[in-house]
Amino acid sequence: MRNATLPGDPPGGRRAVAVWGIGVSVYFVAVIFRTSLGVAGLDAADRFRVNASALSTFSILQLLVYAGMQIPVGLLVDRLGTKKVLSIGAVLFTAGQLGFAFSPSYGTALASRALLGCGDAMTFISVLRLGTRWFPVRRGPLVAQLAGLVGMAGNLVSTLLLARLLHGIGWTPAFAGSALAGAVVLGLVLLFLKDHPEGYEPEPFPHRGAAYVRRQIAASWREPGTRLGLWVHFTAQFPAMVFLLLWGLPFLVQAQGLSRATAGGLLTLVVLSNMVVGLVYGQIVARHHAARLPLALGTVAATAVVWAATLLYPAERAPMWLLVVLCSVLGACGPASMIGFDFARPANPPERQGTASGITNMGGFVASMTTLFAIGVLLDATGDNYSVAFSAVFVLQALGVSQILRLRRRAARRERERLVASRVETVHVPA
């Protein structure tokens, strides 16, 4: 009887780490480009002479494209494989970053961010798929958290390095120079990346146009685990995403009266906290599957409590210790959102992993896009009252938690049924 690994489980090892490292380096660069506006928001407002609502449109459009591309990208990954999709993504997000560097107007800058969002959308799902093709299933939660950790390292580079370049050498040289990283990772993908180890080719699966697409999406959506994964991602990710992507720096500088350097340090704390918590959550979930939902809901609750304490603090500005706690807790949002993939992954067979991951990944970015827009509108409507504007966070958290609680039992029951079925099949595999 074989029970150490699942039939066809890839072996992992150094080669797997090397190949996966190439894929995750593309995601790393994509996150640098995605979050570059977070350290340049005030500069962009001055450069293009726009108000808060127009400024938020940059990130909203980028996330709208990203979210809208998730299911198509999942289908593309299932059909074309990781290498081709990552290559296309690298070309698009590099072109978008270059376009943003040289944009002479608000309109062309918007178009560049949309192009960047399109390329960025192709990276994370591809990296998740690469992990499932090269590593054993039992490593899935840790590999996914490590991918998120590398992404946050990209955010750290954006916060520390790109911010200094921006204020040292100026807008165009900083953004154009950073685009060189996109060309480097594209070359690595074309030269060295492989979709799967030799001898572990996936079984051929028929692809028949629109009918195939409808079947993939419908079958993935019917699984309660896919929908639960989407809502976990939706509820957990967006507070930190909104903070890092655009509104964190203006909130800390304008509402809290901090210097740019101090605000940048707090944004860095969010990233560092994310990296530490990601490692912890990955280990916990890999060893204790039942901890998934308590970790996710606990993170959401902690985020809501600390946000409320910060916004309702009975003084004009929150004390530094509370801002430090806020940023530390926000760092757990990314790792908690990654738990959503640990619900979607076991709910779907290998040929649907890309599609299911795409559906799940839409959640947090739809929530982030909605909140970015709401905060921008509320800031303009209230004369930059951040306490009122950031109250939008609680509305979306309440919606997400209600859906998680609604789906949790159904998803757990379906997952137990699949586990029993897989054990029966494993018992019958000849030694």
Side-chain angles (χ1 to χ4, degrees):
M1 182 188 303
R2 276 187 254 177
N3 53 18
T5 59
L6 297 174
D9 219 18
R14 292 182 180 178
R15 180 119 192 275
V17 172
V19 174
W20 178 81
I22 293 171
V24 84
S25 69
V26 181
Y27 177 56
F28 172 77
V29 173
V31 172
I32 294 176
F33 293 177
R34 178 202 303 169
T35 58
S36 57
L37 188 61
V39 297
L42 297 176
D43 299 88
D46 291 337
R47 180 180 177 88
F48 301 112
R49 298 178 182 177
V50 294
N51 61 13
S53 297
L55 180 61
S56 67
T57 303
F58 277 122
S59 296
I60 291 168
L61 178 61
Q62 184 179 332
L63 292 183
L64 178 64
V65 172
Y66 187 105
M69 286 287 294
Q70 289 309 291
I71 292 177
V73 168
L75 292 164
L76 281 174
V77 171
D78 286 337
R79 179 155 190 184
L80 300 179
T82 301
K83 182 171 184 172
K84 291 180 180 178
V85 176
L86 276 179
S87 299
I88 297 169
V91 170
L92 292 177
F93 67 60
T94 302
Q97 188 77 340
L98 269 175
F100 197 58
F102 294 100
S103 291
S105 67
Y106 178 67
T108 55
L110 276 178
S112 297
R113 295 306 287 186
L115 187 63
L116 193 157
C118 187
D120 181 18
M122 297 185 174
T123 58
F124 188 64
I125 294 175
S126 298
V127 170
L128 289 180
R129 175 61 172 262
L130 198 66
T132 63
R133 291 300 189 194
W134 281 89
F135 293 96
V137 170
R138 67 182 182 276
R139 299 292 185 194
L142 182 58
V143 170
Q145 288 287 358
L146 287 173
L149 186 151
V150 172
M152 290 310 294
N155 203 325
L156 188 63
V157 169
S158 179
T159 303
L160 296 178
L161 181 59
L162 190 58
R164 292 181 181 180
L165 286 174
L166 185 66
H167 300 123
I169 62 177
W171 180 282
T172 299
F175 280 101
S178 67
L180 293 174
V184 172
V185 295
L186 175 61
L188 292 174
V189 169
L190 293 175
L191 291 173
F192 302 112
L193 191 135
K194 294 186 179 298
D195 285 341
H196 48 74
E198 293 181 11
Y200 289 86
E201 294 83 0
E203 294 182 8
F205 190 75
H207 306 288
R208 296 191 176 94
Y212 160 76
V213 171
R214 287 194 298 271
R215 283 197 304 271
Q216 285 286 89
I217 296 173
S220 295
W221 184 254
R222 277 196 299 268
E223 292 293 342
T226 304
R227 283 175 280 146
L228 180 59
L230 179 147
W231 284 108
V232 168
H233 199 267
F234 176 102
T235 313
Q237 186 199 48
F238 78 93
M241 176 69 72
V242 167
F243 198 79
L244 288 170
L245 198 60
L246 184 61
W247 291 122
L249 189 68
F251 168 73
L252 294 172
V253 172
Q254 295 176 348
Q256 300 301 318
L258 303 181
S259 68
R260 282 189 180 224
T262 304
L266 286 173
L267 293 179
T268 303
L269 177 61
V270 177
V271 178
L272 293 175
S273 173
N274 182 293
M275 297 170 76
V276 173
V277 174
L279 287 174
V280 174
Y281 279 17
Q283 293 285 359
I284 293 174
V285 172
R287 297 174 182 177
H288 307 286
H289 235 40
R292 290 173 299 172
L293 208 53
L295 282 177
L297 290 175
T299 302
V300 172
T303 304
V305 168
V306 179
W307 255 126
T310 303
L311 298 178
L312 298 175
Y313 193 78
E316 184 178 355
R317 292 169 181 169
M320 179 57 71
W321 68 263
L322 184 54
L323 295 177
V324 168
V325 172
L326 171 67
C327 291
S328 300
V329 172
L330 285 176
C333 290
S337 72
M338 296 294 296
I339 294 172
F341 296 101
D342 293 313
F343 287 107
R345 190 184 303 111
N348 292 273
E351 65 270 14
R352 287 207 311 264
Q353 288 295 318
T355 306
S357 295
I359 292 172
T360 300
N361 208 31
M362 283 179 62
F365 290 94
V366 169
S368 297
M369 177 180 60
T370 304
T371 310
L372 282 167
F373 175 73
I375 290 173
V377 170
L378 289 170
L379 284 174
D380 284 338
T382 60
D384 291 339
N385 187 323
Y386 280 89
S387 294
V388 173
F390 275 116
S391 64
V393 169
F394 305 116
V395 177
L396 270 75
Q397 283 184 321
L399 171 63
V401 168
S402 68
Q403 294 301 310
I404 291 171
L405 296 178
R406 183 178 68 85
L407 288 164
R408 72 189 193 283
R409 288 193 180 92
R410 208 179 315 169
R413 183 172 61 250
R414 180 71 172 141
E415 191 169 300
R416 285 194 300 269
E417 291 170 357
R418 282 185 175 276
L419 183 60
V420 170
S422 68
R423 284 175 177 170
V424 170
E425 290 177 4
T426 304
V427 166
H428 290 89
V429 173

